[in-house]
Amino acid sequence: MKPKKLLPIYIALITVLIISALLSLSLGAARLSVHQMISGIIGTKGFSYERTIMLSVRLPRLLSSILAGIGLSLAGVILQSVMGNELASPNTVGVSSGAGLAAVICLSLFPSLSHLLPIGAFFGALGTSILIMALSRIIGGGKATIILAGIALSSLFGASISFFSVLDTDVLASYSAFSVGGFSGVKMSDLTLPAILILICVFLAIALSKEIAILSLGDTIASGLGISPNKIRVISLMIASLSVASVISFSGLLGFVGLVVPHITRKLLGSELKYQLTAAPLVGASLVTLSDLAGRIIFAPSEISVGIIMAFIGAPFLFVLLLGRREKNNA
Amino acid sequence: MLEFKNITLKIGRKTILDSVNLKAKKGRITALIGKNGSGKTSLITTACGLSHYDGEILLCGKNIQEYKNKDRAKIISFLPQMMPETSISVYSLVSMGRSPHLGGMGILSKTDKEAILSALRITRTEELSGRSISSLSGGEKRRAFLALLLAQEAPLLILDEPNAYLDISYSSELCTLLRELCDDHKKTILVIMHDISEATEIADDIAILDGGKTVFYGTKNELLATETIENIFGVKRYKAYDGDKTKIFFS
């Protein structure tokens, strides 16, 4: 795609994100005007109604949804490129479940060390990524093997999470919300470390985009072009795992973002990885923000978790994707 | 230019290559032929650094393992048999060939762009440059990937069955292109070929692998002076006359 065509798309994506953010700050159980939103954020009154809503509820929630959208979309783009499979995502290859299991183990064994949750989730995600790659190499059988191995591992990790939850009633109480994914109760202080880590992941992924794009052509071509396939693969998986783990540490197991967003981005901007890596975070942030907003206003004042809304969007999208593939195969 | 010396490769308990020796001499086309499973692809992947082997591979007289990846990629380029599925444009694909020559920022210089255009021109893929790889026919796709290799500007090309799955006209066009690359652009080519007749037509030197061993290595004329091909592949030799030219076929 030529740069002349790219610019309007990027401007549109940024505009959609800004509008989504403003709507997210304004709408909910209580509706705030633009003036109330501004005075709530930068106002000097100590405990005004607007200020409490904005700083304690809406702003952390908006930042959570933006960060979750960025982190999971980025991981989705990386996993699909490195694994050479358009169906790969943090959920379908079991990376999210691996991170979730590690998080639950941390909660269960070290309840006082909750700040270690992102680190535990990172090792869970990374371990699962490496395990998936190793299994698909040992078993062979092509791209479907990765997804099948991911499904098997997800089931295993899901059962393990349930097992730990049953053993520890404190974990069981938080597991239900954790497994669906959502942002209620997230505080600004919970977001500092994940925000730093996710931004680092975005910069690293963009810096490595050329190498990841070459790796997507296969090990032989990559090696022939002077790239060490295993080294780039492991670094890429570490970036994706860190990104997923950072999101999971505050949002729980939020599904489908990493699967859906790379496809939307590909439709909008084509398959060039550098465009996908820069546009997918914008698309992901808007999608999660709007989904979270929908969850808050559809049955207000009751709330539907963003994870449930994403599943309602993501599952039909997957069916459309599979139907598209069938038509392509029949063509 | 490239020499395999006593290469032995084992996967588990199975011996894939057993003390294989062969050379790809500078400015010549060396065809590597053999039955399915004879170890042809395994041999060339040893030069990619993707498998552990016993023995020594010399690239320009120096052990290939002593080269840094990028330095090796400036001398030797690979085209695998299976073309990966991708939807990127032909131009983007070919520009990846400049990867070993780019600095840290990865920005294409004027020299890089000239090399890309030259590769597109030689492979006659200029008109396809804006198209997605996934929209190309088998023959066009092969030429696009060959352009990727040429953009790399490595003097040695290693190709694994570049004419696999191509119909006879595309296959013939590709063979002509390989000969041009060798004669006009001074490339050294090591190519795995499944069609023995085509191999004997375009190659200068031929190596035959059988059961992971080199059973023949020499010039085309040396090979055709014997009945090695007939004995190994169980085929018959036919001659066709086209004016004053004689073509040899195996069937």
Side-chain angles (χ1 to χ4, degrees):
Chain A
M1 189 173 274
K2 289 176 181 171
K4 275 186 182 177
K5 287 183 183 174
L6 288 171
L7 190 62
I9 296 175
Y10 275 102
I11 291 171
L13 292 178
I14 292 167
T15 309
V16 170
L17 179 57
I18 292 170
I19 292 170
S20 310
L22 290 174
L23 288 173
S24 176
L25 289 175
S26 168
L27 302 177
R31 185 169 291 199
L32 300 179
S33 65
V34 175
H35 177 260
Q36 285 173 311
M37 280 158 47
I38 294 168
S39 68
I41 295 172
I42 59 170
T44 51
K45 288 179 190 173
F47 293 99
S48 74
Y49 165 74
E50 298 90 17
R51 191 170 173 79
T52 308
I53 289 180
M54 288 305 289
L55 295 186
S56 303
V57 183
R58 298 274 168 89
L59 207 54
R61 197 139 186 166
L62 172 63
L63 291 176
S64 300
S65 51
I66 288 176
L67 285 174
I70 293 173
L72 295 175
S73 317
L74 186 81
V77 171
I78 294 173
L79 289 174
Q80 289 185 11
S81 298
V82 171
M83 295 184 171
N85 193 323
E86 290 182 0
L87 291 175
S89 78
N91 283 74
T92 52
V93 300
V95 174
S96 291
S97 306
L101 174 61
V104 166
I105 291 172
C106 283
L107 279 174
S108 183
L109 298 181
F110 313 105
S112 59
L113 301 174
S114 59
H115 59 282
L116 293 178
L117 208 65
I119 299 167
F122 165 68
F123 282 109
L126 180 63
T128 309
S129 303
I130 292 171
L131 190 60
I132 290 284
M133 295 301 296
L135 280 174
S136 63
R137 284 196 165 208
I138 294 165
I139 300 167
K143 295 177 177 180
T145 312
I146 293 175
I147 302 299
L148 292 172
I151 290 168
L153 276 182
S154 285
S155 303
L156 179 67
F157 292 155
S160 305
I161 290 172
S162 302
F163 177 73
F164 273 96
S165 305
V166 171
L167 286 182
D168 190 330
T169 48
D170 289 338
V171 172
L172 179 63
S174 55
Y175 171 63
S176 178
F178 179 82
S179 65
V180 176
F183 308 126
S184 60
V186 176
K187 297 188 288 287
M188 290 293 262
S189 57
D190 298 332
L191 298 175
T192 313
L193 181 61
I196 294 168
L197 295 177
I198 289 167
L199 288 179
I200 290 173
C201 289
V202 172
F203 285 118
L204 287 176
I206 291 171
L208 268 181
S209 62
K210 188 168 61 70
E211 284 80 3
I212 299 173
I214 290 173
L215 185 61
S216 70
L217 297 177
D219 285 12
T220 311
I221 289 179
S223 180
L225 289 170
I227 300 230
S228 170
N230 287 335
K231 189 173 147 191
I232 297 299
R233 190 175 289 116
V234 169
I235 294 172
S236 305
L237 291 177
M238 283 177 79
I239 296 170
S241 302
L242 185 59
S243 193
V244 171
S246 303
V247 174
I248 282 176
S249 70
F250 65 85
S251 78
L253 300 178
L254 192 59
F256 283 112
V257 185
L259 174 68
V260 174
V261 173
H263 286 277
I264 297 173
T265 316
R266 216 171 283 128
K267 284 273 179 200
L268 287 172
L269 293 148
S271 297
E272 305 287 337
L273 192 67
K274 59 186 174 186
Y275 302 142
Q276 281 189 56
L277 284 172
T278 44
L282 295 172
V283 175
S286 300
L287 186 68
V288 178
T289 304
L290 289 173
S291 299
D292 183 50
L293 177 65
R296 278 189 284 139
I297 61 173
I298 289 173
F299 294 111
S302 299
E303 192 176 295
I304 305 170
S305 165
V306 63
I308 295 171
I309 300 286
M310 285 306 307
F312 276 126
I313 297 171
F317 184 86
L318 192 58
F319 287 128
V320 172
L321 195 71
L322 293 171
L323 280 172
R325 282 188 157 216
R326 193 188 70 167
E327 281 168 15
K328 196 177 168 185
N329 290 340
N330 290 342
Chain B
M1 186 160 200
L2 181 72
E3 185 175 1
F4 295 88
K5 289 176 84 176
N6 292 317
I7 301 298
T8 297
L9 176 70
K10 289 183 180 177
I11 297 178
R13 290 179 183 173
K14 194 176 177 189
T15 302
I16 308 296
L17 299 171
D18 188 2
S19 299
V20 172
N21 291 289
L22 71 89
K23 291 177 186 174
K25 290 178 188 165
K26 195 173 181 180
R28 294 170 74 84
I29 296 180
T30 305
L32 183 57
I33 58 176
K35 293 175 187 169
N36 289 340
S38 59
K40 305 183 295 291
T41 299
S42 300
L43 180 67
I44 65 164
T45 49
T46 56
C48 298
L50 291 174
S51 47
H52 297 284
Y53 55 87
D54 292 326
E56 194 177 29
I57 300 173
L58 299 176
L59 179 61
C60 300
K62 183 176 159 185
N63 191 324
I64 201 164
Q65 292 177 339
E66 291 173 17
Y67 284 89
K68 288 180 181 170
N69 286 346
K70 275 203 167 187
D71 293 337
R72 186 193 66 208
K74 287 175 185 168
I75 304 174
I76 187 168
S77 56
F78 296 93
L79 184 67
Q81 185 186 345
M82 299 300 290
M83 301 287 105
E85 289 174 24
T86 175
S87 302
I88 60 172
S89 70
V90 171
Y91 188 89
S92 295
L93 176 81
V94 178
S95 66
M96 286 179 181
R98 298 305 297 164
S99 174
H101 303 274
L102 299 181
M105 298 295 285
I107 297 167
L108 294 173
S109 67
K110 195 182 167 192
T111 315
D112 295 318
K113 287 176 184 170
E114 280 170 2
I116 294 165
L117 289 176
S118 169
L120 291 168
R121 207 162 31 241
I122 293 169
T123 53
R124 294 181 278 279
T125 48
E126 284 166 298
E127 288 181 4
L128 307 173
S129 66
R131 280 178 57 188
S132 157
I133 296 292
S134 57
S135 72
L136 304 180
S137 69
E140 289 170 337
K141 203 171 168 182
R142 291 273 162 187
R143 281 192 281 139
F145 274 91
L146 200 53
L148 161 78
L149 260 64
L150 295 184
Q152 200 173 332
E153 289 189 322
L156 172 62
L157 311 181
I158 299 184
L159 315 166
D160 189 354
E161 296 201 22
N163 48 1
Y165 314 117
L166 295 184
D167 63 34
I168 194 162
S169 63
Y170 274 128
S171 184
S172 168
E173 189 185 341
L174 197 79
C175 287
T176 309
L177 182 58
L178 293 184
R179 198 63 252 179
E180 278 175 21
L181 288 173
C182 184
D183 295 340
D184 303 341
H185 300 276
K186 308 300 172 202
K187 299 285 186 189
T188 302
I189 297 174
L190 173 61
V191 56
I192 294 178
M193 300 196 80
H194 67 276
D195 187 317
I196 307 165
S197 306
E198 276 182 344
T200 53
E201 192 180 335
I202 70 158
D204 301 303
D205 300 316
I206 292 180
I208 303 177
L209 287 190
D210 192 27
K213 292 180 180 176
T214 325
V215 290
F216 178 85
Y217 171 74
T219 64
K220 176 171 66 179
N221 292 336
E222 284 169 351
L223 177 67
L224 294 176
T226 67
E227 292 193 341
T228 311
I229 289 178
E230 287 88 333
N231 294 336
I232 292 174
F233 295 97
V235 291
K236 285 186 177 176
R237 183 186 308 213
Y238 299 92
K239 284 184 180 176
Y241 300 97
D242 180 13
D244 56 346
K245 286 183 181 175
T246 306
K247 281 192 174 183
I248 292 171
F249 294 95
F250 293 92
S251 181

